Amino acid sequence: MAGSNYRVRTMTQADLDLAVEWAAAEGWNPGLADATCFRAQDPEGFVVGELDGQPIASISVVRYGADFGFLGFYICVPEKRGQGYGLELWRQASERLEGRTVGLDGVVAQQHNYARSGYVLAHRNVRLGGRPSVEAPSAPELVDLSGLPFEPLSSFDRMHFGTAREAFLRCWLRPEMRSGVALVRDGAVAGYGVVRQCRNGWKIGPLFADNESDADLIFRALASTANGQTVFLDIPDPNKAAWRLGERYGLTPSFETARMYRGSAPDLPLPRIFGITTFELG
């Protein structure tokens, strides 16, 4: 069990880079530039368990606003599992989120363990993947994100994420790191999406839109940048229009998570969430 030679501390950037490598080894397929933006939201929210001076376990307990948090990156290196190190890290790190509603996207096999800590299943999320053959649509309503002011995008994002995440979003939307488009109609944002390169292929996230046809337009604009490589889209299972969108372009299920909450689950507009931003930060 975890003893006096085991220490829990805040991650450095190098620690987070290592945790991203662990996530890649688990098959989570992180984006190539994800770590910087993850840490931007809450630098103190990334915690490592260190045994005899060597990192062996990770977790993120990221705070959003005054009353919401998201737990992710819960990984222990395989050779140290089952010895209490991960559980002690969970216990200490979770104290940072006391008094908040906390969400997580956990692997399905661990649902019962999360339930012991008070987490309740809200819905499944499913990762769809495939090689869609699409061309960039020609539509005057589609605008590159770099040409839009931040506040309208942030406001639209907040309606779909459930709380403000400005520090994360300012990094996530930087054009040198990712590509993104918004659908602007009558001067207002009606949808937007971001695509980024990953260890394997490309991921679209988020993809928020008022309806299925708008989501389809944004999806094609983003997927066309992948140049025939694999594209992944993480959808909330209850959104049947998101399933239809994926099926229309040959995407099939490859992975799933359990979205769970401790505390009052946010009332998210799932019919307008066609792509979750990340399984790590919500």
Side-chain angles (χ1 to χ4, degrees):
M1 298 296 290
S4 60
N5 56 345
Y6 184 63
R7 182 167 74 106
V8 172
R9 60 169 176 80
T10 302
M11 287 187 192
T12 65
Q13 183 64 52
D15 293 324
L16 182 52
D17 291 340
L18 177 61
V20 170
E21 292 298 324
W22 291 345
E26 293 293 321
W28 297 357
N29 194 27
L32 298 183
D34 283 1
T36 299
C37 295
F38 288 170
R39 197 162 183 257
Q41 177 60 36
D42 183 3
E44 301 297 313
F46 293 85
V47 186
V48 65
E50 186 179 79
L51 181 65
D52 296 326
Q54 295 297 317
I56 64 163
S58 66
I59 196 170
S60 60
V61 282
V62 171
R63 295 171 295 188
Y64 294 100
D67 53 12
F68 185 66
F70 205 85
L71 188 150
F73 274 108
Y74 186 40
I75 308 170
C76 186
V77 296
E79 62 271 21
K80 297 299 182 183
R81 292 175 184 172
Q83 301 175 48
Y85 297 116
L87 189 61
E88 178 61 17
L89 177 63
W90 171 287
R91 186 188 68 78
Q92 291 194 38
S94 293
E95 291 176 358
R96 298 187 76 252
L97 299 178
E98 282 302 318
R100 296 167 178 260
T101 290
V102 183
L104 62 79
D105 281 322
V107 294
V108 174
Q110 292 297 321
Q111 279 186 65
H112 64 288
N113 286 330
Y114 300 136
R116 290 177 188 168
S117 296
Y119 287 84
V120 177
L121 178 67
H123 56 81
R124 292 193 314 150
N125 293 322
V126 182
R127 174 162 295 163
L128 306 179
R131 298 193 175 200
S133 178
V134 294
E135 296 184 0
S138 177
E141 307 104 313
L142 285 175
V143 180
D144 191 279
L145 293 185
S146 61
L148 288 178
F150 178 76
E151 184 50 42
L153 280 171
S154 179
S155 295
F156 188 84
D157 182 86
R158 185 162 54 248
M159 288 190 298
H160 296 80
F161 184 67
T163 190
R165 49 176 177 174
E166 290 190 1
F168 168 80
L169 210 58
R170 286 187 185 278
C171 180
W172 200 251
L173 301 182
R174 283 163 54 187
E176 70 271 21
M177 302 181 77
R178 289 162 196 83
S179 298
V181 296
L183 189 64
V184 180
R185 191 171 286 129
D186 298 325
V189 176
Y192 94 97
V194 175
V195 64
R196 69 197 192 278
Q197 191 170 11
C198 298
R199 305 297 178 93
N200 171 29
W202 299 71
K203 276 186 195 170
I204 293 175
L207 174 50
F208 303 147
D210 287 347
N211 54 60
E212 184 176 349
S213 61
D214 287 350
D216 187 287
L217 191 62
I218 296 168
F219 175 85
R220 284 184 284 132
L222 298 173
S224 66
T225 68
N227 298 317
Q229 296 182 51
T230 303
V231 172
F232 297 100
L233 182 68
D234 298 334
I235 68 169
D237 178 55
N239 186 343
K240 300 312 177 187
W243 275 105
R244 290 194 298 270
L245 173 65
E247 291 166 357
R248 195 152 52 242
Y249 295 104
L251 307 187
T252 57
S254 62
F255 181 67
E256 69 176 74
T257 67
R259 171 62 62 91
M260 305 179 76
Y261 292 100
R262 189 190 70 198
S264 299
D267 185 18
L268 298 180
L270 294 182
R272 301 203 301 269
I273 299 175
F274 289 82
I276 293 159
T277 309
T278 77
F279 284 157
E280 295 84 4
L281 263 70

